[in-house]
């Protein structure tokens, strides 16, 4: 049986349409899912929408609609956008679905049975945009405004059920300290550890004044706090607590890819909930950075907001893979990022002028000088050949390491660097001159062979980032990836006599719409 791999995105609030931040997290998760799939693993990839909570209620009221109708409309928009940008999720969960609701209620029942839930009363501050309880000190430090949205915090005073978070905090802290890879990147892990050491109160997990949510099984006048509801999705989608939990037993624990502003919920509340349930903790939690645009916070009023329409325009003009590549290479995974037109153009040029050009000229030359058949590498290798062979042979290990360490930027750029070196190699060895001299026929064969091997490996390594273009490029080389793993493809060479297909520009220059 193949090794299993479970990976998730956050479930997004469908109070509006998806934007660059949502697309970024989903694409990065997709790239990881595709890499593991290419390695022959049995991958389960979950995304979805987080449909309860006050934020949905308020946005719906502002729009003159119902939360359910708003969620129905936007959940569909999320699903469609993910298809348009090549997301290969195996499931899409909506927290209003029956399967989720029943399983969340079972989770609460189990926590009640463990005496981890008790009735109390909450008085304090709430950040309605983040759906987050805020301590007096944090509220004061931020001038009683949300540090994320800048909107005023709201004062809540009501009866509420509490989860004994404090009881689990020492265990959570110990776990994070003893498992350095559990929360990544390192700098964010340290922030979580410091905050945990400062002490954490029990968590209010129900709202009696809100009707839009999952009723508490032990007291249906209350609905479940939206974060407890939302975090549960990672296991409810696998059937946890239902009559059929086979997916849960098969795939859990998984890897969570999230944005840095929701790390606390994932690194503290979620492990504590799982400890209460007696279930294994997630394998890893990776928090990525935030996008700005042209150096400024993205906002509709500043006209620099990369919204769904802009994403569609870019994908429509340059192709979904060019959008994916840009996002993944824009900064190291975990750091903040900035969308600039100049950087986008540079990134597209890497695809068109480095990768695409390398492929195209290699196929053209082999077509012209060797009737489209890959010639054997002949004679002793020169230093320049050795350098290219070494770089080609190292690529598989380097790319694998980059993926396993969540260095997605390197995973995307290493193959491009190989293509760049191959272009330099072709420039330096001047095949068009070699072709004029019959005595240089062996040398020409070597140059053509090594160039073809290099571009083939570069394309294979790019399959997770460029799922359609890499496969298209490989088809031009007459290489099928069907049923083959990353190791098999990277370990193979194009045999002498291998007939190439027809070369066509992989990233044709497109007119801007
Ligand atoms: O927080 N830059 O949903 P959400 C980068 N429903 N990434 C960004 C971003 C930006 N400017 N803006 C958003 C929620 N994101 C909860 C999650 S999970 C159990 C519940 C991405 O719609 C980033 O991944 O606010 C962030 O964590 C996520 O969208 C938040 O989406």
């Amino acid at each position: 049986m193949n090794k299993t791999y479970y990976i998730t995105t956050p479930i997004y609030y469908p109070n509006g349409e998806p934007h660059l931040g949502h697309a970024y997290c989903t694409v990065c998760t997709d790239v990881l899912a595709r890499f593991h799939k290419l390695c022959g693993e049995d991958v389960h990839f979950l995304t979805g929408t987080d449909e309860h909570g006050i934020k949905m209620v308020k946005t719906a009221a502002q729009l003159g609609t119902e939360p359910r109708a708003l969620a129905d409309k936007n959940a569909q928009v999320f699903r469609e956008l993910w298809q348009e940008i090549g997301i290969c999720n195996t499931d899409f969960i909506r927290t209003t679905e029956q399967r989720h609701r029943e399983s969340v209620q079972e989770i609460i029942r189990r926590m009640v049975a463990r005496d981890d839930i008790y009735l109390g009363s909450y008085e304090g501050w709430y950040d309605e945009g983040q759906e987050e309880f805020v301590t007096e000190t944090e509220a004061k430090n931020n001038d009683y405004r949300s540090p994320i949205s800048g909107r005023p915090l709201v004062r809540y005073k009501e009866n509420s059920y509490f989860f004994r978070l404090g009881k689990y905090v020492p265990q959570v802290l110990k776990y994070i300290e003893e498992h350095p890879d559990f929360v990544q990147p390192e700098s964010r892990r340290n922030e979580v550890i410091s905050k945990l050491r400062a002490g954490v109160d029990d968590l209010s997990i129900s709202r009696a004044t809100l009707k839009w949510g999952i009723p508490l099984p032990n007291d249906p006048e209350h609905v479940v706090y939206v974060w407890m509801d939302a975090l549960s999705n990672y296991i409810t989608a696998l059937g946890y607590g239902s009559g059929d939990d086979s997916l849960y037993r098969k795939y859990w624990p998984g890897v969570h890819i999230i944005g840095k502003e929701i790390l606390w919920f994932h690194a503290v509340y979620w492990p504590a909930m799982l400890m209460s349930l007696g279930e294994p903790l997630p394998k890893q939690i990776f928090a990525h950075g935030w996008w700005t645009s042209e150096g400024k916070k993205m906002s509709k009023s500043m006209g620099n907001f990369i919204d769904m329409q802009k994403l569609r325009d870019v994908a429509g003009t340059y192709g979904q893979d060019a959008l994916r590549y840009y996002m993944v290479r824009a900064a190291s995974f975990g750091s903040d990022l900035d969308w600039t037109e100049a950087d986008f153009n540079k990134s597209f040029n890497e695809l068109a002028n480095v990768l695409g050009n390398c492929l195209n000229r290699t196929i053209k030359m082999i077509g012209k000088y060797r009737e489209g058949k890959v010639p054997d590498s002949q004679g002793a290798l020169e230093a320049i050949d050795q350098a290219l062979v070494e770089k080609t042979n190292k690529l598989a290990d380097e790319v694998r390491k980059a993926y396993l360490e969540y260095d997605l930027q390197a995973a995307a750029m290493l193959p491009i660097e190989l293509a760049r070196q191959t272009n330099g190699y072709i420039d330096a060895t001047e095949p068009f001159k070699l072709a004029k001299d019959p005595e240089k026929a062996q040398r020409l064969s070597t140059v053509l062979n090594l160039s073809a091997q290099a571009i083939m490996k570069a394309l294979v390594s790019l399959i997770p980032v460029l799922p359609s273009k890499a496969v298209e490029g490989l088809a031009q080389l007459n290489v099928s990836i069907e049923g083959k793993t990353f190791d098999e493809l990277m370990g193979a060479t194009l045999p002498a006599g291998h007939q190439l297909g027809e070369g066509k520009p992989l990233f044709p220059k497109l007119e801007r719409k």
Side-chain angles (χ1 to χ4, degrees):
M1 211 171 70
N2 292 355
K3 191 172 153 195
T4 59
Y5 182 76
Y6 178 39
I7 189 162
T8 68
T9 71
I11 47 170
Y12 306 111
Y13 294 123
N15 64 326
E17 289 178 341
H19 56 69
L20 173 62
H22 300 127
Y24 175 64
C25 186
T26 310
V27 163
C28 292
T29 310
D30 183 74
V31 167
L32 283 159
R34 284 180 185 270
F35 175 71
H36 285 268
K37 213 187 245 185
L38 188 59
C39 289
E41 292 167 42
D42 175 350
V43 173
H44 196 74
F45 169 12
L46 176 71
T47 187
T49 40
D50 180 2
E51 308 191 350
H52 294 126
I54 190 75
K55 186 156 148 161
M56 286 297 288
V57 171
K58 290 211 163 164
T59 316
Q62 278 159 15
L63 296 171
T65 183
E66 293 298 321
R68 176 83 215 197
L70 180 64
D72 284 348
K73 177 167 158 276
N74 284 325
Q76 189 53 25
V77 180
F78 273 87
R79 270 187 214 269
E80 284 166 11
L81 185 68
W82 298 160
Q83 282 191 359
E84 282 168 42
I85 58 174
I87 305 301
C88 70
N89 55 301
T90 29
D91 195 1
F92 186 105
I93 188 156
R94 300 182 54 187
T95 54
T96 47
E97 284 173 62
Q98 193 63 18
R99 60 170 172 160
H100 176 74
R101 186 190 179 93
E102 283 173 5
S103 178
V104 166
Q105 291 186 325
E106 180 57 25
I107 286 171
I108 302 283
R109 263 185 226 111
R110 292 183 186 182
M111 289 174 170
V112 170
R114 281 215 167 199
D115 190 30
D116 279 343
I117 287 178
Y118 64 92
L119 185 61
S121 75
Y122 179 79
E123 181 169 5
W125 299 102
Y126 195 73
D127 179 343
E128 291 191 336
Q130 287 300 101
E131 299 277 9
E132 183 171 10
F133 297 98
V134 180
T135 64
E136 185 62 39
T137 323
E138 281 169 341
K140 198 169 165 204
N141 289 346
N142 285 301
D143 217 7
Y144 299 94
R145 289 180 175 274
S146 164
I148 306 286
S149 67
R151 282 192 218 108
L153 299 175
V154 182
R155 188 88 188 155
Y156 279 9
K157 186 173 185 224
E158 60 191 45
N159 283 343
S160 170
Y161 284 88
F162 282 78
F163 170 63
R164 293 191 200 281
L165 181 61
K167 169 176 153 189
Y168 291 102
V169 159
Q171 283 175 64
V172 173
L173 176 59
K174 187 161 179 275
Y175 191 88
I176 297 175
E177 283 174 335
E178 287 176 359
H179 298 83
D181 287 346
F182 179 54
V183 175
Q184 294 191 47
E186 169 101 33
S187 55
R188 306 252 160 261
R189 169 176 178 264
N190 294 338
E191 286 169 14
V192 172
I193 291 178
S194 315
K195 202 168 157 190
L196 273 171
R197 285 196 182 133
V200 183
D201 294 336
D202 285 348
L203 178 67
S204 163
I205 54 118
S206 77
R207 300 287 317 279
T209 50
L210 189 65
K211 295 291 158 230
W212 178 239
I214 300 177
L216 237 64
N218 50 322
D219 187 347
E221 289 303 303
H222 288 244
V223 298
V224 179
Y225 170 42
V226 67
W227 268 101
M228 182 165 257
D229 166 348
L231 289 162
S232 304
N233 94 89
Y234 300 128
I235 57 174
T236 65
L238 300 178
Y240 180 79
S242 76
D244 177 5
D245 66 356
S246 52
L247 287 180
Y248 175 74
R249 282 186 277 110
K250 182 170 179 194
Y251 289 109
W252 186 255
V255 170
H256 301 311
I257 308 297
I258 56 167
K260 64 183 181 181
E261 82 292 358
I262 57 174
L263 179 58
W264 181 250
F265 303 97
H266 285 79
V268 178
Y269 297 178
W270 181 225
M273 287 166 65
L274 289 163
M275 283 173 178
S276 168
L277 295 169
E279 299 297 338
L281 303 196
K283 251 193 231 147
Q284 266 168 343
I285 303 163
F286 189 98
H288 66 73
W290 272 14
W291 280 91
T292 53
S293 170
E294 306 285 351
K296 301 194 184 73
K297 185 172 190 290
M298 275 192 275
S299 81
K300 293 234 155 90
S301 57
M302 305 238 308
N304 66 351
F305 193 79
I306 310 295
D307 60 9
M308 187 174 71
Q309 195 47 50
K310 170 81 181 174
L311 293 171
R312 282 200 162 132
D313 286 351
V314 172
T317 307
Y318 297 94
Q320 63 165 47
D321 284 4
L323 174 65
R324 293 167 60 100
Y325 177 71
Y326 172 60
M327 291 196 223
V328 172
R329 85 175 267 299
S332 77
F333 197 40
S335 306
D336 287 341
L337 313 98
D338 188 40
W339 179 290
T340 71
E341 292 298 319
D343 202 30
F344 183 86
N345 290 335
K346 189 171 162 215
S347 142
F348 186 69
N349 284 337
E350 284 168 5
L351 294 178
N353 301 345
V354 180
L355 184 73
N357 187 32
C358 178
L359 174 70
N360 202 248
R361 66 199 295 212
T362 303
I363 296 180
K364 286 263 158 67
M365 290 187 304
I366 295 177
K368 194 163 164 195
Y369 305 134
R370 295 291 184 267
E371 294 170 337
K373 292 191 175 59
V374 176
D376 212 352
S377 166
Q378 295 169 352
L381 294 187
E382 295 182 8
I384 191 168
D385 306 330
Q386 292 281 12
L388 186 65
V389 170
E390 261 170 43
K391 184 127 175 163
T392 306
N393 291 348
K394 271 200 316 215
L395 188 67
D397 283 347
E398 287 178 344
V399 167
R400 187 185 308 100
K401 181 168 182 288
Y403 275 117
L404 298 181
E405 292 176 356
Y406 297 93
D407 190 354
L408 301 189
Q409 187 189 39
M413 294 188 80
L414 282 162
I416 300 291
E417 288 315 309
L418 176 60
R420 197 189 296 282
Q421 183 166 332
T422 310
N423 280 331
Y425 174 76
I426 296 170
D427 294 344
T429 50
E430 300 185 304
F432 68 98
K433 279 195 189 156
L434 298 174
K436 288 187 187 136
D437 182 351
E439 292 197 352
K440 299 271 170 64
Q442 277 200 356
R443 179 80 197 121
L444 177 61
S445 291
T446 300
V447 168
L448 297 178
N449 181 295
L450 300 188
S451 304
Q453 308 299 350
I455 188 65
M456 191 268 274
K457 302 275 160 74
L459 287 168
V460 169
S461 299
L462 280 165
I463 293 170
V465 183
L466 311 176
S468 101
K469 289 294 176 179
V471 174
E472 197 181 313
L474 286 164
Q476 292 185 22
L477 293 174
N478 199 13
V479 171
S480 160
I481 65 161
E482 242 358 83
K484 299 201 191 89
T485 65
F486 179 75
D487 284 349
E488 286 163 358
L489 290 161
M490 293 302 276
T493 43
L494 296 168
H498 175 86
Q499 177 72 50
L500 300 183
E502 194 193 337
K504 272 187 276 176
L506 202 51
F507 294 92
K509 287 269 164 5
L510 297 163
E511 290 302 315
R512 269 176 178 276
K513 270 184 195 157

